[in-house]
Each structure stands twice: as structure tokens, then as C-alpha cells.
Amino acid sequence: MLEQSVRCLAEGDVTVSAIVTALSSWEYGSSCQLVERPSNQLYYILEGRRIYHPLREGKADFFAGAKDLILMPAGCSYTTQCISQEGSRGINVLFTLKDGEGREILLDYSPQVVAVDDNGFYQDAMSRLHAAALQGGFSVLRAKELLYAI
């Protein structure tokens, strides 16, 4: 399903908008539940480990740890909890995808790990994206470029 979604996005005219980034820290045992996520989110785990429980019937729980890149599409629902004694930290990027006519593109799948960053590419790109989004102005174009690259 993910490969199909990526192929459809690559073949059409897609724009990225509404980029918001943040660094997050979680203590051991802390959790949250999101019902009908309002926008797409990429989450890169810098350190620690988390468990995710998709709230859609038939979708399996999954674990994610340092160097994992997770995609949580708009509209998905899940709970997540920090399961590392030392806590966990990560970089969040919230964004919207639109087609060539300005309509929002909705990705129809549950949250999942989409990449394991063995060579550091995603950590570097997510860190630079976060910095560019915080700078504002023309740096937002750099943030969009990095999101397209990811």
C-alpha cells in the first residue's frame, strides 16, 4: 500500500504546504492518544524506544527506536508510549500534501516505520529541515526541498 501511495505521489503534481516542526522529549511511561490526526507527520526518533498501537481494526502494534523514521498520515488514530527507561527524543515534522489543483492528498494507511536510518541521511535531513522551518522567510523553501528529498 505504501509503495502504491508513493508511486501515485511521484506521478502527479504534488505540493507540500503548512510545514511545522518541533523537537519532542518523552519520559519513560508517558503516552498520548491521537484520534483523527489533523495533518501528516514524519517523526524521526533520535534516541529511545516507543510502542505504537494503531486504533484501526486489524492493524498490528509496532515498536520504533533510535534511527527509525515513522510516517503517520492525516486521519489516522493511534496511541503511543515511551518504553525506554532513559526516555525518548525525536524530531516532528507536520505537513500537508496537495495535488496540482490545490486539493489535499490523503494517504490511506496506518502509522508505520518507513525507513531505518543506518547511514544518517534522514537524521541530517530532518535536523536541517527543522532548522530551516524555524528560520522562516525564504528558509521555508529549503524546508520544503528537504521534505521532498525525504
Side-chain angles (χ1 to χ4, degrees):
M1 177 70 101
L2 178 60
E3 289 176 26
Q4 218 172 17
S5 297
V6 171
R7 190 170 24 264
C8 287
L9 292 175
E11 293 172 357
D13 185 16
V14 177
T15 58
V16 171
S17 63
I19 295 177
V20 177
T21 68
L23 293 175
S24 66
S25 294
W26 297 78
E27 293 179 6
Y28 173 73
S30 61
S31 64
C32 73
Q33 180 175 16
L34 278 114
V35 178
E36 296 292 318
R37 174 164 212 73
S39 62
N40 298 302
Q41 178 184 18
L42 279 174
Y43 182 60
Y44 184 88
I45 300 178
L46 294 165
E47 57 188 43
R49 194 157 164 78
R50 309 188 60 74
I51 185 170
Y52 287 83
H53 175 69
L55 300 178
R56 205 166 161 188
E57 192 172 313
K59 301 297 180 183
D61 291 357
F62 67 94
F63 294 90
K67 298 185 179 184
D68 284 343
L69 181 66
I70 304 164
L71 176 62
M72 291 155 285
C76 73
S77 300
Y78 59 92
T79 59
T80 182
Q81 182 176 25
C82 175
I83 57 173
S84 297
Q85 291 291 331
E86 70 278 5
S88 68
R89 289 186 324 113
I91 302 171
N92 295 297
V93 177
L94 305 176
F95 63 97
T96 303
L97 295 173
K98 295 187 178 181
D99 67 15
E101 296 173 11
R103 296 177 301 231
E104 187 172 352
I105 298 170
L106 299 176
L107 305 174
D108 185 25
Y109 53 90
S110 291
Q112 60 185 294
V113 174
V114 292
V116 177
D117 192 21
D118 291 329
N119 64 10
F121 169 79
Y122 294 109
Q123 180 177 357
D124 180 60
M126 292 285 283
S127 295
R128 291 188 299 141
L129 192 163
H130 174 66
L134 290 177
Q135 285 178 349
F138 289 116
S139 294
V140 172
L141 294 174
R142 179 71 175 141
K144 286 184 180 187
E145 174 194 359
L146 289 162
L147 187 56
Y148 282 122
I150 293 168

